Amino acid sequence: MVVNADWQTTAEHMGLEFYDFCCQDTTARKMRRFLRPGHDPVRERLKRDLFQFNKTVEHGFPHQPSALGYSPFLRLMAIGTRSGAIKLYPLNTWILNKLIRYGAPGVEFMGLHEENNTVMQIHFIPDQCQLVTLLDDNSLHLWSLKQHGGASELREEHRFTLKGPPGSPPSATQVTAVLPHSSREVLYLGTESGTIFVVELPSLRVLEDRTITPEAVLQRIPEDNCSRRSCELVEALQEHPKNPDQILIGYSRGLIVLWDLQNNKATQHFLGTQQLENLYWQRDGSKFISCHCDGSYTQWPVSSDNRQAEPLENTVPYGQLPYIIFQGGMPRASYGDRHSISVIHGSQQTAFDFTSRVIDFFIIFSSDPAAEFDDPSALVALAEEELVVIDLKSAGWPAVHPPYLASLHCSAITCSHHVSNIPLKLWERIISAGSKQNIHYSSMPWPIDGGTNIAPDPPQRDLLLTGHEDGTVRFWDASGVCLHLLYKLSTVRVFLTDADPNDNMNTLGEDEWPPLRKVGTFDPYSDDPRLGIQKIYLCKYSGYLAVAGTAGQVLVMELNDEDAEHVVDHAEADLLQDQEGYRWKGHEKLKTRDGPVRFEAGFQPFVLVQCQPPAVVTSLALHSEWRLVAFGTSHGFGLFDHQQKRLVFVKCTLHPSDQLALEGPLSRVKSLKKSLRQSFRRIRRSRVSSRKRRGAGGTASEVQEANAKFDQDVLQEMELAPVQRKIEARSAEDSFTGFVRTLYFADTFLRDSSRHCPSLWAGTNGGTVYAFCLRVPPAERRMDEPVRAEQAKEIQLMHRAPVVGILVLDGRSTPLPEPLEVAHDLSKSPDMQGSHQLLVVSEEQFKVFTLPKVSSKLKLKLTALEGCRVRKVTVANFGSCKTDDYSENDLAVLTNLGDIQIISLPFLKLQIRYPCIRKEDVSGIASCVFTKYGQGFYLISPSEFERFSLSTKWLVEPRCIVDMPEVTSNNHVHNKSGTENAARKSRGSGKSPDDSGEDERKSGRLMEHALLNDEKVLKEIQSTLEGGRGSYAERNLARSPVGHGLSNGGGLKLAGRCPAVSTSCARH
């Protein structure tokens, strides 16, 4: 049975609503305009109680990190990015600057510098809730953590750009080193010219009378030892750990000067023979270490006389066992491509090998402030793609499992799937399986534990499943602000690949030198692109999981609490059904392992369905109650009984002219000419049809005048209808018309109105909907009788727009419940007494049909009225924030313009529209996934999910507070009085809900602009990486920032280009 779904009445053709067309009374028609549902004040108030758009959280790892800072006083870590964002991370969560305020085990402050420039350095003011950032435009920004509305928020207090005298070159004031003094009164700014400026806090005013010039430094140094060029470019500034009146000045060419701030003179100088990278004081102030670009480091003694000091030998005095920690230092010839941090302690030495460039690192120490030596407990390393923490207290120095800053893109994300309200039993089993995978991690508590969480506990347990290019599926706890990895599933063991899954990349040979050990989880390289996961479907009630991949593989799995070894059953589904004239030109299917395969505890596959041709699986549906799984590709779809492990049926949807579907995803280059030809053909058809319409309209002036008069009279008496765009029907010869976009199981009336039966619905890219009646045997005969299927309906949309969603509404106009949802008493039984309705969502419109006759009932045109197309659609439940007694089901729709529209069911009335994603962000739109309760996620970068909410009731909103600890420092502390300026812009959720929503929308727009419009920044980065040494800012983009954000004795992190050394010395 074929039904033409786009029949149109005369009234619809005129663009009028049906009752307006029938009503002849002009007065009544005018009155009716004011009574339409869209203008009902009661409904408007209800919509305010139901719908509210907020961008709340960014999950994942910051995109393109560029700077790192740490405050031992606050126990907070800060990360800056190339897009101008700065994010602070306390206990089990993270904080962003300036726009939205959140809190700890889920603490988050969200924002960025308005300039969107790269953050070069981050420095915390000692013993204060303040920090300073340096951007690549040479501007300084002062931020403060303050309490507002019962929670903490980060505000920008001042901004400042160092300016030189008229006519001076830019290098004269280009800041290269920043030192926040322990007095909390001033900042010392080293520049490329060698001048050190002193800036007052918090006003950021230059104190010109305290400037340290190269000429003043050279006056105290013998002429034989240095020249004017020796004092160019200040590379490092370090305060004496015991005497705050002395600072160590390191110049790029190797000269190091100990400067007396009280007497404004140099008390001692040190001459290095190599280019300097950074400096570090020993805790007692008797020695310091300098690191150099040739991979060496040198210890220097500090004395009270003014003689030139000679370097000490690198020995261990008094039998103590120091920690030496440095970045780089590897021989360029053999290990120039490695990114490493080495730790040496006595006879133990390990070079931690990272898979991405190390930006910076710091040491967390736990000794008494009065102790002579540091007692390091953890190494925190920020790489370009992940954060790694090493436990230095446990044997073997294992890594610490991070509770936040998850590396979502450890392998490229290919798909995602969200499941709400997970049952407790399934949740505990998944956590148990994941804990067995984490036995190699340290048991140390997370060491960065500043801040206090004041947000309420999550109302339910939610899972976000991400599929990856390497064939893995990761299970994330998406209940709250922190996106925490619970469990990782790998499908690689089922197939034969080049890599052995039992290989241990961390295994070292006894004589291997240097002793490299791989750390971190980021691994962007896939052994075989065919392993990529494309579709995921999890049944939270039965524990069945179906995943489908790039090479047509469909795996059905069940949860097992123990390791097991078994054979995975195989079945093939020939979607071409042996039709002649077709030849697959794409990749081959994956080869499977013969015999039993051993699987670890967790989800274990028990059956594999291989589609032929092995094209990408484009749609997937699982019905755990009927034990059926449906799958679709660009060639057709099929149904598999995973209980009896047999194929029920396959249906080929390939059009005879669609040869492009046979080329596969890896050979699209050949199809470019064909695509261009088809585009030109459509243009020609459009021009011909428009000329025919103009020719048929006539040119008689009388006709035109009559039409104009008629139109004028009509406009005076009735309301204007929306202008509709003319939609060109797609040709059946267009490519990928057989592409199966959606699959849907439903128990509904398909043959007649007296009997309902199980059914499978499929929608294609060519606007065709197929409906199959299913006969599923009762439970007592389920293994004895086969499942049977018979095609009952076929609907062809007139414009052949791709079908992106199918939904059946019961007699109460409520969407049918999920499989087993009624059996678990979590949903009402569907109404099988009244007539059911079928909702078909295409890219261009929404259309409701009656069942079982499949006659059109009503529709909502989207493309014709608004010019946009549907990309994602789902049913979401929206609850009122005023009462728990009211909730409703609506459609959440994402368009190709990045807008989100909420449309009512079953009357298809637009409720509200929100701008969410930039229309240019095609990958963000494609990655969007909605939740069952009006939230959503989409990728704003390869490593970050943006979380948003459409509901006033279901809102994951972090809140935290950062208290000011008591100052225990022995340094000189002076509280400078003065009036602090109010923050320029408040960023946080401490405002009223109405105000915070606007701030959050601004935050989302700014962050997306920063992350997605940074082509200029990327070009600059590329040019600096390819160029020479250049300016300081350019060099710091090509190498790691160094020595920032540590208080005295906090462990050294002197970074440089490989093989430059960065060192941290600490002793027990």
Side-chain angles (χ1 to χ4, degrees):
M1 176 182 179
V2 179
V3 179
N4 187 347
D6 273 338
W7 62 275
Q8 291 182 333
T9 65
T10 308
E12 290 173 327
H13 182 69
M14 291 178 62
L16 307 176
E17 296 188 10
F18 185 71
Y19 60 80
D20 282 338
F21 176 76
C22 297
C23 183
Q24 301 297 322
D25 186 80
T26 305
T27 305
R29 185 167 58 248
K30 288 183 178 179
M31 293 298 295
R32 189 174 286 108
R33 284 185 296 168
F34 301 100
L35 299 177
R36 290 184 177 178
H39 300 282
D40 182 4
V42 177
R43 179 61 187 174
E44 291 300 317
R45 285 195 298 269
L46 181 58
K47 287 196 294 186
R48 288 194 292 269
D49 295 341
L50 293 173
F51 312 122
Q52 182 181 2
F53 179 74
N54 293 287
K55 290 186 177 180
T56 56
V57 186
E58 287 182 8
H59 297 297
F61 184 79
H63 185 53
Q64 295 181 329
S66 58
L68 177 67
Y70 177 67
S71 170
F73 177 70
L74 299 175
R75 299 186 69 84
L76 297 180
M77 173 180 63
I79 294 178
T81 70
R82 295 186 183 182
S83 59
I86 172 176
K87 307 180 180 183
L88 274 67
Y89 299 85
L91 173 64
N92 287 355
T93 188
W94 45 293
I95 305 177
L96 269 145
N97 73 16
K98 180 173 172 186
L99 285 182
I100 302 177
R101 181 201 62 241
Y102 300 115
V107 179
E108 190 165 319
F109 295 82
M110 198 171 200
L112 72 162
H113 297 84
E114 294 180 358
E115 294 78 8
N116 290 346
N117 291 93
T118 299
V119 180
M120 304 298 297
Q121 298 182 26
I122 302 174
H123 300 269
F124 283 88
I125 307 300
D127 303 334
Q128 292 290 308
C129 293
Q130 290 182 316
L131 67 153
V132 173
T133 56
L134 172 67
L135 305 188
D136 64 350
D137 64 352
N138 206 40
S139 63
L140 283 168
H141 301 255
L142 177 66
W143 305 87
S144 295
L145 272 170
K146 295 185 176 181
Q147 294 188 17
H148 177 75
S152 297
E153 62 182 19
L154 187 60
R155 296 181 177 183
E156 182 181 7
E157 299 289 341
H158 295 283
R159 67 182 65 187
F160 164 77
T161 300
L162 188 63
K163 296 181 180 179
S168 61
S171 62
T173 55
Q174 180 67 49
V175 179
T176 57
V178 180
L179 172 63
H181 195 263
S182 60
S183 66
R184 308 193 295 274
E185 294 181 343
V186 294
L187 291 174
Y188 290 90
L189 306 179
T191 63
E192 277 192 5
S193 63
T195 303
I196 300 172
F197 295 90
V198 184
V199 176
E200 185 182 38
L201 288 175
S203 63
L204 296 185
R205 180 175 61 90
V206 177
L207 303 177
E208 297 182 358
D209 58 329
R210 298 175 62 177
T211 301
I212 304 173
T213 62
E215 291 75 16
V217 173
L218 291 174
Q219 288 177 0
R220 303 290 180 171
I221 300 175
E223 296 181 359
D224 298 339
N225 295 336
C226 60
S227 63
R228 174 64 180 81
R229 299 194 65 183
S230 301
C231 291
E232 291 181 353
L233 204 158
V234 178
E235 196 73 52
L237 293 170
Q238 292 290 335
E239 181 180 342
H240 195 291
K242 297 296 183 181
N243 184 1
D245 292 330
Q246 291 184 340
I247 62 172
L248 203 60
I249 306 172
Y251 295 93
S252 177
R253 291 182 175 271
L255 173 64
I256 305 169
V257 174
L258 183 62
W259 187 262
D260 188 340
L261 298 175
Q262 289 286 347
N263 301 313
N264 201 27
K265 67 176 184 178
T267 60
Q268 195 172 4
H269 68 279
F270 314 84
L271 291 178
T273 59
Q274 297 292 331
Q275 181 176 302
L276 182 69
E277 293 293 332
N278 214 332
L279 301 170
Y280 175 72
W281 279 104
Q282 188 169 296
R283 178 180 284 264
D284 61 1
S286 62
K287 304 184 194 67
F288 69 88
I289 294 180
S290 63
C291 300
H292 304 276
C293 68
D294 63 344
S296 64
Y297 64 88
T298 306
Q299 294 189 53
W300 301 88
V302 177
S303 60
S304 58
D305 55 30
N306 195 25
R307 294 180 303 169
Q308 176 183 342
E310 296 296 328
L312 299 174
E313 294 187 24
N314 191 11
T315 58
V316 180
Y318 310 113
Q320 297 286 342
L321 298 176
Y323 277 88
I324 306 295
I325 302 174
F326 57 89
Q327 174 188 341
M330 292 287 177
R332 270 201 183 96
S334 303
Y335 300 95
D337 59 339
R338 298 298 183 100
H339 313 287
S340 65
I341 296 178
S342 298
V343 181
I344 304 174
H345 179 55
S347 61
Q348 186 178 359
Q349 179 172 348
T350 300
F352 296 103
D353 187 15
F354 297 81
T355 55
S356 59
R357 184 173 67 94
V358 176
I359 301 296
D360 207 346
F361 71 92
F362 61 84
I363 309 300
I364 296 178
F365 54 93
S366 56
S367 64
D368 188 295
E372 183 180 3
F373 301 109
D374 296 331
D375 184 15
S377 60
L379 162 68
V380 181
L382 174 67
E384 272 191 335
E385 306 295 348
E386 61 185 330
L387 181 81
V388 177
V389 178
I390 305 296
D391 178 7
L392 299 179
K393 288 291 188 181
S394 301
W397 298 334
V400 182
H401 191 50
Y404 52 82
L405 277 175
S407 183
L408 299 176
H409 64 314
C410 47
S411 175
I413 296 176
T414 51
C415 66
S416 55
H417 175 67
H418 188 274
V419 186
S420 299
N421 205 9
I422 302 295
L424 179 60
K425 185 177 180 181
L426 176 63
W427 185 265
E428 292 175 344
R429 295 178 69 188
I430 292 175
I431 292 178
S432 175
S435 63
K436 297 177 182 178
Q437 299 176 336
N438 299 329
I439 56 176
H440 62 284
Y441 284 110
S442 168
S443 58
M444 166 189 280
W446 187 248
I448 307 169
D449 55 2
T452 303
N453 183 24
I454 58 175
D457 293 333
Q460 60 187 25
R461 295 170 293 273
D462 290 349
L463 276 179
L464 179 66
L465 283 68
T466 54
H468 298 264
E469 190 181 35
D470 61 354
T472 60
V473 178
R474 286 170 168 81
F475 291 65
W476 304 92
D477 177 4
S479 309
V481 175
C482 291
L483 197 65
H484 181 63
L485 181 63
L486 299 179
Y487 165 69
K488 184 181 79 171
L489 164 69
S490 177
T491 63
V492 178
R493 291 182 178 273
V494 181
F495 306 101
L496 290 171
T497 60
D498 295 335
D500 185 352
N502 296 318
D503 284 346
N504 186 358
M505 300 182 67
N506 294 332
T507 303
L508 295 176
E510 294 182 359
D511 300 327
E512 183 176 347
W513 190 264
L516 290 167
R517 191 177 94 195
K518 184 180 179 298
V519 291
T521 60
F522 179 72
D523 184 8
Y525 305 107
S526 174
D527 298 326
D528 193 327
R530 296 174 297 173
L531 291 168
I533 305 299
Q534 298 296 328
K535 295 293 175 182
I536 306 171
Y537 197 105
L538 171 66
C539 176
K540 60 185 178 183
Y541 303 112
S542 64
Y544 283 113
L545 172 69
V547 297
T550 303
Q553 69 271 28
V554 179
L555 285 165
V556 185
M557 311 182 187
E558 59 184 347
L559 191 57
N560 192 343
D561 297 329
E562 302 294 336
D563 295 357
E565 186 174 1
H566 59 262
V567 176
V568 179
D569 294 309
H570 299 78
E572 283 206 356
D574 183 10
L575 298 177
L576 295 181
Q577 298 175 314
D578 299 324
Q579 297 188 35
E580 297 181 358
Y582 293 99
R583 184 172 62 88
W584 172 248
K585 303 176 185 178
H587 49 252
E588 297 180 353
K589 68 176 183 179
L590 287 163
K591 296 180 180 179
T592 57
R593 296 181 183 271
D594 297 328
V597 180
R598 183 164 187 81
F599 299 100
E600 60 184 10
F603 286 94
Q604 300 173 352
F606 61 89
V607 65
L608 165 66
V609 183
Q610 178 62 56
C611 299
Q612 289 289 4
V616 175
V617 177
T618 58
S619 56
L620 184 68
L622 176 70
H623 200 292
S624 51
E625 188 174 359
W626 300 338
R627 306 296 175 91
L628 299 175
V629 60
F631 49 89
T633 70
S634 56
H635 307 118
F637 60 96
L639 181 66
F640 186 80
D641 179 356
H642 65 78
Q643 183 168 359
Q644 293 189 9
K645 299 178 182 177
R646 60 177 293 272
L647 190 66
V648 179
F649 77 91
V650 292
K651 171 69 176 179
C652 181
T653 59
L654 192 65
H655 192 274
S657 64
D658 192 3
Q659 292 296 322
L660 186 58
L662 293 171
E663 295 183 2
L666 304 182
S667 58
R668 295 289 169 79
V669 178
K670 301 177 183 178
S671 64
L672 177 60
K673 293 183 178 179
K674 183 173 181 180
S675 299
L676 292 174
R677 284 197 301 268
Q678 291 171 347
S679 299
F680 285 121
R681 286 173 185 169
R682 282 195 292 268
I683 294 173
R684 284 198 298 270
R685 286 199 300 267
S686 176
R687 289 175 178 173
V688 170
S689 61
S690 62
R691 284 198 297 269
K692 289 180 179 179
R693 288 195 300 273
R694 288 196 298 269
T699 59
S701 59
E702 296 83 359
V703 176
Q704 293 179 357
E705 292 175 2
N707 289 339
K709 187 176 185 303
F710 175 77
D711 292 342
Q712 186 176 3
D713 294 340
V714 171
L715 291 176
Q716 291 176 354
E717 294 187 0
M718 63 180 60
E719 183 181 358
L720 278 173
V723 177
Q724 296 192 22
R725 296 164 176 82
K726 180 174 177 57
I727 305 301
E728 294 287 342
R730 292 170 171 82
S731 171
E733 298 180 358
D734 285 353
S735 299
F736 292 106
T737 55
F739 185 116
V740 179
R741 295 285 293 267
T742 183
L743 291 165
Y744 178 69
F745 286 106
D747 187 359
T748 186
F749 301 94
L750 197 53
R751 291 195 177 276
D752 55 62
S753 58
S754 61
R755 291 179 300 174
H756 58 88
C757 65
S759 62
L760 172 65
W761 301 76
T764 71
N765 213 46
T768 306
V769 177
Y770 300 95
F772 282 77
C773 283
L774 306 178
R775 183 187 174 277
V776 181
E780 60 272 12
R781 300 195 304 273
R782 185 64 177 82
M783 291 299 296
D784 301 327
E785 298 179 9
V787 176
R788 301 190 183 277
E790 181 181 358
Q791 184 171 344
K793 308 285 185 184
E794 181 177 334
I795 307 172
Q796 178 61 61
L797 301 182
M798 189 177 71
H799 289 154
R800 300 182 182 275
V803 178
V804 296
I806 298 173
L807 182 68
V808 173
L809 307 176
D810 67 6
R812 294 188 294 263
S813 297
T814 302
L816 297 181
E818 296 179 10
L820 296 175
E821 193 172 13
V822 176
H824 286 76
D825 296 327
L826 297 174
S827 176
K828 294 181 180 179
S829 299
D831 184 359
M832 293 298 182
Q833 302 302 321
S835 60
H836 285 197
Q837 302 174 75
L838 171 69
L839 172 62
V840 177
V841 182
S842 72
E843 284 190 354
E844 297 177 357
Q845 66 178 7
F846 303 79
K847 197 146 193 177
V848 175
F849 300 89
T850 61
L851 290 175
K853 293 183 179 180
V854 195
S855 57
S856 179
K857 185 177 181 181
L858 62 101
K859 66 180 175 182
L860 172 64
K861 295 181 180 180
L862 194 68
T863 306
L865 297 178
E866 302 183 17
C868 57
R869 298 181 183 276
V870 178
R871 286 292 179 259
K872 302 281 184 176
V873 61
T874 192
V875 177
N877 181 268
F878 293 92
S880 172
C881 62
K882 297 292 183 62
T883 176
D884 294 334
D885 298 332
Y886 183 81
S887 66
E888 65 181 41
N889 292 307
D890 298 291
L891 290 176
V893 180
L894 175 68
T895 71
N896 64 324
L897 302 181
D899 294 336
I900 292 181
Q901 301 185 12
I902 299 177
I903 298 173
S904 65
L905 287 174
F907 301 110
L908 302 182
K909 297 295 183 181
L910 177 62
Q911 301 300 299
I912 202 162
R913 180 190 294 109
Y914 299 112
C916 180
I917 310 174
R918 298 185 320 113
K919 63 181 180 181
E920 297 84 5
D921 186 8
V922 179
S923 61
I925 294 174
S927 64
C928 182
V929 56
F930 289 106
T931 75
K932 188 178 179 180
Y933 295 101
Q935 298 185 65
F937 302 81
Y938 69 93
L939 289 172
I940 58 173
S941 73
S943 60
E944 292 173 289
F945 270 115
E946 176 80 71
R947 185 175 191 148
F948 62 88
S949 174
L950 306 171
S951 172
T952 59
K953 184 176 182 180
W954 300 97
L955 181 66
V956 175
E957 185 179 30
R959 289 176 60 85
C960 76
I961 189 168
V962 178
D963 294 320
M964 180 79 170
E966 294 183 3
V967 179
T968 58
S969 173
N970 294 325
N971 294 335
H972 298 288
V973 178
H974 305 281
N975 292 324
K976 186 175 182 64
S977 62
T979 304
E980 295 184 350
N981 293 341
R984 284 188 177 88
K985 293 183 181 179
S986 175
R987 311 292 200 222
S989 58
K991 301 181 180 181
S992 64
D994 294 337
D995 294 338
S996 64
E998 180 64 26
D999 281 348
E1000 289 164 359
R1001 287 190 287 274
K1002 290 180 181 178
S1003 168
R1005 289 195 293 270
L1006 285 172
M1007 287 302 294
E1008 290 184 27
H1009 176 76
L1011 290 170
L1012 302 172
N1013 282 324
D1014 57 355
E1015 295 181 2
K1016 179 180 178 182
V1017 175
L1018 293 176
K1019 289 180 181 178
E1020 291 177 356
I1021 293 168
Q1022 183 178 3
S1023 64
T1024 53
L1025 290 174
E1026 294 174 354
R1029 183 160 178 83
S1031 67
Y1032 171 81
E1034 292 171 340
R1035 287 186 287 107
N1036 272 271
L1037 283 173
R1039 69 172 189 173
S1040 304
V1042 294
H1044 309 318
L1046 288 179
S1047 65
N1048 298 332
L1052 178 70
K1053 33 184 205 26
L1054 302 173
R1057 294 165 297 178
C1058 195
V1061 173
S1062 102
T1063 310
S1064 173
C1065 288
R1067 296 180 182 174
H1068 297 293

